[in-house]
Amino acid sequence: MLGLGADRLRADMNRLLALLFHQGVLDEQFLQLQQLQDESSPNFVSEVVNIYFHESEKLLRNLRALLLDTELSDYKKMGIHLNQLMGSSSSIGAKRVRNVCVAFRAASEQNNRAGCLRALELLEHEYCYLKNKLHELFQIEQQRALSAGIRYPMQN
Amino acid sequence: MTVETTVDDRRSQFPVGMRVLAVDDDPTCLKVLETLLRRCQYHVTTTSQAIMALKMLRENKNKFDLVISDVHMPDMDGFKLLELVGLEMDLPVIMLSGNGDTKLVMKGITHGACDYLLKPVRIEELKNIWQHVIRRKKFDSKDCKNSGNQDKSHIGNGEGGPESAETGNSDQNGKLNKKRKDQDEDEDEDRDENDNDDPSTQKKPRVVWSVELHRKFVAAVNQLGIDKAVPKKILDLMNVEKLTRENVASHLQKYRLYLKRISCVANQQANMVAALGSSDSSYLRMSSMNGLGSYTALSGSVQFQSPAFRSFPPSGMIGRLNTPAGMGLHCLPSSGRLQLGHPQNLSNSTDQVKFHPATVLGKHNGNMLQRMPVSFELDQQNSKGVTHIGEFSTAIDDTPIFPLSNGLPDAKITGNSSNSALAVSTSSMMLGNLQDDQCGRKFGGQSSVSMTSLKSEFCSPLPDHGRCTENWSSSAQLSGYQSNSLLSGDRFKQASTHPSSLRDNLSVMASQMGSNRFDVSSVTSASTQFQDLRTDIQGQQSAISSNAGQTINEALIHGWDNQKPDSTYPSNIMCSSMNSLMPVNDAMGPLEQSLDSKNSIFDRSMDFNLIGQSNYVDPLIMKHDEVEKPTMETSLRSKQGYLLDQKRPQGSYISNTVGSLEDLVSAMMKQEQDKAKSMEGEFDAYSLGPSM
């Protein structure tokens, strides 16, 4: 029974991952992260992703603040934030987020405020989606770990 | 490499336990990097602050074998850290960045980085970084040997310290070994023993060549003349206590090597910087859109004036230089620096058609059309892209200047009605430097500038060296074409004579022009017409990938609101961008088939397309009122008459793309095709109107 649950969970997780890859939300870099996770660092992926969320939210807040400052939009600073967001997004394999950052940066380089605003909205949207999906993924993983944990004692 | 063979057995051990210092202000990347490095079995220390990193390095030079550092850091510029580490500790440094802009990479290399990695970093790349450690050690060892063994402590001094940490090939050891011709001492385990055992390289107090000290050193050397500089005299001139002749000697040797390494690049850069003069920064800052952006940032620093020789080459210029290596064919002697003065004139005449190729070229031995930064302020357009048109032919040697009258088609020049000055200057530049690559680049830059609506920026990234034969003409043509975004593609025909060089240029440009994606693509598309479509295509591909970004940007800019993502993700927007990409891709499609794999680049665009999978036909695209769009369309069309027809079957290029992404995309694309086709039709009509 529990074994079935674990299988189903794993299937769910795989399906979710496949969907995310298919949508282009994640790319191969995420797989690399998963491969780096092993016994010595069992929660590596979730740790890194949590750091990423933490940092990204800061950056997004800063970006929004910079853009909403109607007097003087500091595009240069936006570019710096965007660079960092791009780097970290690409490091964890958040492809769509990264791509939006690219467009955003282009708009900021042109001092195009309207374009930047749109890009920011899009960015926030993508980020939220990514976050939700990754949370879902981690939840499934947790459940799997739980079910596996419960299973072992029974097997023994 | 005998050394390597002898240490072969060691090598199998060596990479293991190599001590790496990783510096990155982004905690996410730092954590990933750390884990990756650990997976490679290196010994990793991390810090998020450059200052802390320097502190750690200074504490103990032998503590680390290799440093990996991010480029963009808040407390200190990555390049500065690179310089300092190289100066003081002489450790191999690898730069890391999310931005693969060629200029930045160039800057990194000229500042002495062993390597330049792009984020996201893959483990395969990290598995090889140990080679830099070995290479540096060996290189220095050889130097010691060849230098006639100035002194025992030659490398033993500060700079050589870190190397001893490496696979036992510490400089001290190396020196020791060299003396004894016994390289077998190189072993990590033996390292300490050697240090202790070698009396000659024994603990001489390490001299830290601080920036100040180095400045004095350079001043002394310059005073004496690089050829006449002998350690004793330098020492006297420097008048620093506790500095021994040996210290100076070893440092001098390093300095000489460094000069040789960068002199070619430096000369060009110096020229460029000089040409730009102090006004460069203003120019350079302008075109953030172009790759000039980085260029400007670089030039702003005008580092060549700084005492640290590493920073000698103006970073801005460096960025522009496409192939410093190529340039390095002829290392300009110190006389190269003399040229700094000249370009000043050029900078003044940016806007003007007047082009003093003779004067400029004469000075610079038009051998290499090093980047002729074309700085011109296009009145009509945003003054953003003022590229300084400096005739830098880095006078590598005294090759005669390229005949200005290479017969650049005047059409180009005339074509650039809006940028007549530019056109002339560019064409003149082209004449001067006719380096294919250079030309291509220039034009690429120019075209990109013109392509963008209102863009008058002409980037003149023409670093290239003398390869150019026909390119200039073609590139000139291209630029001409491009400068007039509205111009029909007839220019293309003329222009793309040198696809090969153009390719390089385009690729370079593609990477350089961040925002001028369309431009690049248009440039590339133009060039693709010609025989060497292949090469061009590569450029195009990069252009296209950059296009993707641009497309998105465009989509965002123009009426993104209407396309507010519905239940699906913002795939709509991506879709529109994808759609807009379609035409470009289509054009590329047929070309691609004939080309080798630009897969990587194409994958990127493919990836992009993946995003916009929804069959959402974005009317926004229709709304692209920008000239760019039509221009691009036009250019696409014109440049590739035969390709135009092929715009329709978008799937075709899909099949060409590599990787599994293709399959996914093609499935999706098929859905899009109809829509895209219809869109294209509209595009064509649309673009045809205004452009023609």
Side-chain angles (χ1 to χ4, degrees):
Chain A
M1 191 65 172
L2 285 170
L4 283 180
D7 287 340
R8 197 179 315 127
L9 284 175
R10 188 180 40 206
D12 284 346
M13 194 172 83
N14 288 340
R15 203 178 323 125
L16 178 57
L17 271 177
L19 173 68
L20 292 177
F21 278 99
H22 188 74
Q23 290 174 336
V25 174
L26 293 177
D27 65 13
E28 306 86 37
Q29 183 68 15
F30 191 76
L31 286 178
Q32 277 226 352
L33 288 192
Q34 288 189 317
Q35 283 167 12
L36 284 177
Q37 181 162 298
D38 57 10
E39 305 77 31
S40 65
S41 52
N43 299 321
F44 172 67
V45 182
S46 60
E47 280 170 15
V48 174
V49 171
N50 283 331
I51 296 177
Y52 170 72
F53 286 152
H54 185 73
E55 290 294 315
S56 304
E57 269 150 38
K58 264 199 293 185
L59 290 171
L60 284 173
R61 276 200 297 273
N62 289 346
L63 282 169
R64 186 157 271 276
L66 282 172
L67 261 184
L68 293 183
D69 179 3
T70 48
E71 285 189 2
L72 172 67
S73 282
D74 192 342
Y75 291 105
K76 195 150 167 255
K77 217 161 179 196
M78 271 189 243
I80 296 176
H81 288 322
L82 282 172
N83 268 334
Q84 182 167 343
L85 190 56
M86 265 175 66
S88 51
S89 301
S90 61
S91 292
I92 69 157
K95 190 163 70 163
R96 285 224 298 230
V97 172
R98 182 191 172 272
N99 286 341
V100 179
C101 286
V102 171
F104 193 155
R105 187 174 61 174
S108 79
E109 282 166 1
Q110 297 170 19
N111 290 5
N112 178 344
R113 187 146 185 276
C116 285
L117 276 169
R118 289 193 203 101
L120 177 65
E121 287 182 40
L122 180 54
L123 185 60
E124 286 170 344
H125 179 103
E126 285 291 346
Y127 172 78
C128 286
Y129 181 69
L130 174 74
K131 188 169 178 183
N132 288 339
K133 288 300 164 192
L134 285 180
H135 273 321
E136 218 180 292
L137 198 67
F138 293 143
Q139 268 173 13
I140 300 179
E141 263 210 56
Q142 270 178 1
Q143 285 175 15
R144 275 184 70 199
L146 276 178
S147 73
I150 297 175
R151 197 162 34 130
Y152 289 161
M154 286 187 66
Q155 283 174 351
N156 294 344
Chain B
M1 309 249 229
T2 43
V3 177
E4 282 183 352
T5 49
T6 50
V7 295
D8 242 357
D9 40 335
R10 250 83 15 47
R11 197 186 301 167
S12 58
Q13 289 169 19
F14 161 56
V16 172
M18 185 173 80
R19 295 156 311 164
V20 182
L21 175 64
V23 189
D24 191 338
D25 65 317
D26 181 7
T28 314
C29 300
L30 193 60
K31 177 130 178 99
V32 174
L33 183 63
E34 180 186 12
T35 312
L36 283 171
L37 288 168
R38 293 238 160 86
R39 186 53 71 91
C40 296
Q41 296 182 291
Y42 302 141
H43 180 70
V44 189
T45 311
T46 62
T47 172
S48 61
Q49 292 177 350
I51 299 182
M52 174 60 82
L54 265 181
K55 191 156 150 261
M56 283 199 264
L57 286 166
R58 283 178 179 147
E59 255 170 41
N60 183 355
K61 294 209 164 69
N62 284 342
K63 209 161 154 212
F64 299 105
D65 298 314
L66 179 72
V67 178
I68 300 185
S69 164
D70 187 35
V71 167
H72 303 285
M73 288 191 289
D75 56 343
M76 185 191 291
D77 185 28
F79 296 117
K80 186 121 183 18
L81 177 65
L82 167 61
E83 278 179 38
L84 290 175
V85 171
L87 259 182
E88 299 182 23
M89 293 123 217
D90 200 23
L91 276 174
V93 180
I94 294 181
M95 301 306 293
L96 190 60
S97 173
N99 187 350
D101 208 29
T102 305
K103 288 190 288 290
L104 277 184
V105 177
M106 181 86 57
K107 187 176 179 186
I109 302 297
T110 50
H111 279 61
C114 305
D115 205 350
Y116 197 105
L117 300 179
L118 294 186
K119 291 180 184 175
V121 183
R122 285 181 299 282
I123 198 166
E124 299 85 31
E125 295 174 343
L126 291 179
K127 284 205 167 119
N128 284 333
I129 56 177
W130 56 266
Q131 59 181 282
H132 300 295
V133 169
I134 297 236
R135 193 177 298 136
R136 180 168 283 236
K137 235 187 281 199
K138 277 181 49 187
F139 180 64
D140 277 345
S141 299
K142 282 201 197 123
D143 291 342
C144 293
K145 236 184 280 202
N146 298 338
S147 70
N149 190 19
Q150 283 182 334
D151 50 321
K152 300 180 265 183
S153 59
H154 158 77
I155 303 187
N157 291 336
E159 297 92 330
E163 295 193 357
S164 54
E166 300 163 3
T167 60
N169 268 340
S170 60
D171 290 340
Q172 293 180 345
N173 289 338
K175 272 189 313 193
L176 178 57
N177 291 335
K178 278 180 309 239
K179 287 181 184 175
R180 305 176 189 162
K181 302 287 190 207
D182 181 12
Q183 294 287 359
D184 292 338
E185 308 280 352
D186 314 337
E187 270 198 349
D188 296 350
E189 311 84 82
D190 292 347
R191 190 180 343 144
D192 293 337
E193 296 163 15
N194 284 342
D195 284 345
N196 298 333
D197 294 349
D198 179 6
S200 61
T201 59
Q202 214 20 295
K203 317 289 185 197
K204 292 202 164 77
R206 293 268 163 78
V207 173
V208 173
W209 280 91
S210 67
V211 179
E212 253 323 301
L213 202 57
H214 181 72
R215 197 175 297 165
K216 280 192 186 163
F217 171 82
V218 174
V221 168
N222 290 339
Q223 197 173 330
L224 291 168
I226 185 71
D227 297 328
K228 292 221 180 75
V230 286
K232 186 86 177 68
K233 290 192 188 156
I234 298 175
L235 186 62
D236 293 338
L237 272 178
M238 282 176 71
N239 195 19
V240 170
E241 277 186 9
K242 296 200 185 147
L243 196 64
T244 68
R245 193 197 71 86
E246 289 79 16
N247 300 142
V248 174
S250 65
H251 195 71
L252 175 65
Q253 192 186 51
K254 285 196 158 106
Y255 183 63
R256 283 215 177 100
L257 286 167
Y258 176 80
L259 282 185
K260 206 189 297 183
R261 250 193 325 227
I262 64 149
S263 63
C264 305
V265 173
N267 288 326
Q268 295 167 350
Q269 292 166 348
N271 294 340
M272 285 176 59
V273 170
L276 294 182
S278 52
S279 53
D280 293 343
S281 46
S282 56
Y283 291 134
L284 297 174
R285 298 231 167 87
M286 307 232 274
S287 49
S288 55
M289 263 182 33
N290 301 341
L292 279 182
S294 55
Y295 183 37
T296 58
L298 295 174
S299 59
S301 53
V302 187
Q303 294 183 355
F304 71 91
Q305 290 165 358
S306 77
F309 59 70
R310 268 183 195 252
S311 58
F312 174 83
S315 50
M317 296 302 172
I318 296 179
R320 278 325 170 102
L321 290 176
N322 285 343
T323 53
M327 299 198 315
L329 287 181
H330 315 265
C331 282
L332 284 180
S334 53
S335 60
R337 301 183 202 181
L338 300 178
Q339 298 171 354
L340 290 181
H342 295 307
Q344 295 287 351
N345 302 332
L346 290 177
S347 51
N348 295 336
S349 62
T350 55
D351 295 335
Q352 302 152 29
V353 175
K354 83 177 162 185
F355 175 82
H356 306 289
T359 48
V360 178
L361 292 177
K363 295 187 167 86
H364 305 292
N365 299 329
N367 189 20
M368 310 206 334
L369 175 60
Q370 313 307 351
R371 339 163 219 190
M372 299 221 288
V374 178
S375 47
F376 40 83
E377 274 143 331
L378 302 177
D379 333 302
Q380 304 87 346
Q381 343 225 343
N382 301 338
S383 56
K384 264 203 281 191
V386 174
T387 27
H388 182 70
I389 300 182
E391 212 34 314
F392 283 122
S393 32
T394 56
I396 301 289
D397 47 57
D398 297 350
T399 57
I401 302 173
F402 286 99
L404 294 181
S405 56
N406 279 321
L408 278 179
D410 286 348
K412 299 181 292 236
I413 299 178
T414 54
N416 296 335
S417 52
S418 56
N419 309 315
S420 50
L422 260 179
V424 177
S425 50
T426 49
S427 53
S428 52
M429 289 199 347
M430 306 252 308
L431 293 177
N433 303 321
L434 314 181
Q435 304 271 344
D436 292 349
D437 302 345
Q438 293 167 344
C439 296
R441 258 184 235 119
K442 282 193 284 193
F443 292 110
Q446 294 174 354
S447 54
S448 54
V449 174
S450 53
M451 293 309 284
T452 56
S453 57
L454 310 183
K455 33 189 173 207
S456 53
E457 301 167 344
F458 275 57
C459 304
S460 57
L462 308 177
D464 168 270
H465 2 294
R467 267 184 284 171
C468 167
T469 52
E470 323 172 281
N471 277 346
W472 60 263
S473 49
S474 54
S475 45
Q477 294 170 349
L478 260 184
S479 55
Y481 170 81
Q482 291 169 343
S483 51
N484 293 328
S485 55
L486 297 184
L487 291 183
S488 58
D490 57 348
R491 302 247 166 119
F492 279 121
K493 303 164 200 158
Q494 309 168 341
S496 47
T497 53
H498 304 284
S500 52
S501 57
L502 280 177
R503 154 188 50 102
D504 297 337
N505 300 336
L506 291 176
S507 314
V508 173
M509 287 195 313
S511 51
Q512 285 175 353
M513 318 277 159
S515 53
N516 292 341
R517 301 216 172 95
F518 277 140
D519 301 336
V520 180
S521 59
S522 55
V523 176
T524 55
S525 53
S527 54
T528 52
Q529 266 183 337
F530 303 89
Q531 311 123 3
D532 305 15
L533 290 180
R534 271 177 294 227
T535 57
D536 293 340
I537 296 210
Q538 287 165 3
Q540 287 178 348
Q541 286 178 336
S542 45
I544 290 212
S545 48
S546 56
N547 248 345
Q550 181 73 349
T551 312
I552 288 190
N553 189 26
E554 300 250 334
L556 289 173
I557 294 175
H558 310 296
W560 178 84
D561 302 321
N562 304 339
Q563 305 309 332
K564 209 58 177 170
D566 49 10
S567 56
T568 63
Y569 306 103
S571 52
N572 297 336
I573 287 165
M574 301 306 172
C575 182
S576 59
S577 51
M578 180 181 67
N579 287 337
S580 45
L581 273 179
M582 295 297 239
V584 178
N585 287 337
D586 273 349
M588 298 288 298
L591 291 176
E592 286 196 353
Q593 292 164 6
S594 57
L595 299 179
D596 336 325
S597 55
K598 292 48 146 205
N599 300 335
S600 56
I601 298 181
F602 229 77
D603 278 349
R604 283 201 287 283
S605 47
M606 289 302 292
D607 293 348
F608 212 82
N609 292 329
L610 275 176
I611 293 177
Q613 290 163 10
S614 68
N615 294 335
Y616 186 89
V617 177
D618 188 359
L620 287 182
I621 296 184
M622 306 309 299
K623 295 185 199 166
H624 283 294
D625 300 324
E626 311 287 318
V627 173
E628 301 161 313
K629 250 338 184 154
T631 305
M632 187 180 70
E633 296 300 327
T634 309
S635 58
L636 285 175
R637 239 168 299 112
S638 55
K639 69 175 175 185
Q640 308 175 354
Y642 68 94
L643 288 179
L644 284 177
D645 310 329
Q646 311 187 0
K647 273 197 197 171
R648 293 302 168 199
Q650 288 150 10
S652 61
Y653 82 92
I654 295 179
S655 54
N656 293 335
T657 55
V658 241
S660 55
L661 283 176
E662 281 183 40
D663 304 330
L664 286 173
V665 174
S666 47
M668 294 189 254
M669 294 307 234
K670 301 254 190 286
Q671 302 170 2
E672 312 285 357
Q673 277 181 6
D674 295 342
K675 301 220 167 94
K677 283 182 189 167
S678 56
M679 299 252 340
E680 279 194 349
E682 290 173 294
F683 264 127
D684 289 349
Y686 179 78
S687 51
L688 276 174
S691 55
M692 299 305 193

